[in-house]
Amino acid sequence: MRPPVEADIDHARICNCSICHKRGALNFRVPNDALTLHTPLSELTLYEWGSFTAKDYFCPHCGILAFRRPAALTRGERAQGQTEFDGWAVNLRCLDGFDTDNIPVRHIPGRDIAFDA
């Protein structure tokens, strides 16, 4: 069986928006073909919030958020030159055998993002 994530994981992302802060996930972004789903999306629970462009997928049995589709960029982020990401944010804490204790962390200022009206 193919592993759930095939990537050279060199950092984790920690976002300080209210939901990410409370969730405590350590995310790493991977392209679409680097994530192998062993459970179909249709069997997971979907939650959308904020701009309703992010898609958080939860296990309906244990409630864990193992991966998500990141939100679309806001007009302000695009104006700053950020590029759209089309892939998955994987919660590194959900990868069996992956040591999260010594990985470099990038802090994402999510609480400062103003969603487009």
Side-chain angles (χ1 to χ4, degrees):
M1 180 184 308
R2 186 175 167 192
V5 175
E6 292 188 40
D8 292 324
I9 301 170
D10 61 356
H11 71 279
R13 296 166 55 102
I14 296 178
C15 176
N16 68 358
C17 78
S18 61
I19 197 163
C20 288
H21 175 76
K22 291 176 183 180
R23 177 173 28 224
L26 293 173
N27 290 317
F28 183 75
R29 289 183 169 189
V30 299
N32 290 318
D33 63 354
L35 178 69
T36 299
L37 299 179
H38 295 284
T39 301
L41 289 179
S42 62
E43 294 181 21
L44 301 174
T45 300
L46 174 63
Y47 177 66
E48 297 173 287
W49 61 282
S51 66
F52 295 96
T53 60
K55 308 230 180 295
D56 293 354
Y57 292 95
F58 293 86
C59 172
H61 304 288
C62 69
I64 297 297
L65 171 82
F67 55 89
R68 65 189 309 268
R69 284 277 191 194
L73 293 177
T74 65
R75 281 186 294 239
E77 290 171 316
R78 284 190 295 277
Q80 293 173 356
Q82 294 186 35
T83 56
E84 205 70 54
F85 175 75
D86 181 31
W88 297 95
V90 176
N91 182 353
L92 298 177
R93 295 184 192 276
C94 293
L95 297 179
D96 291 337
F98 185 80
D99 180 11
T100 59
D101 290 340
N102 297 310
I103 192 157
V105 172
R106 292 183 187 168
H107 293 273
I108 308 301
R111 75 169 63 129
D112 299 331
I113 297 171
F115 291 108
D116 296 335

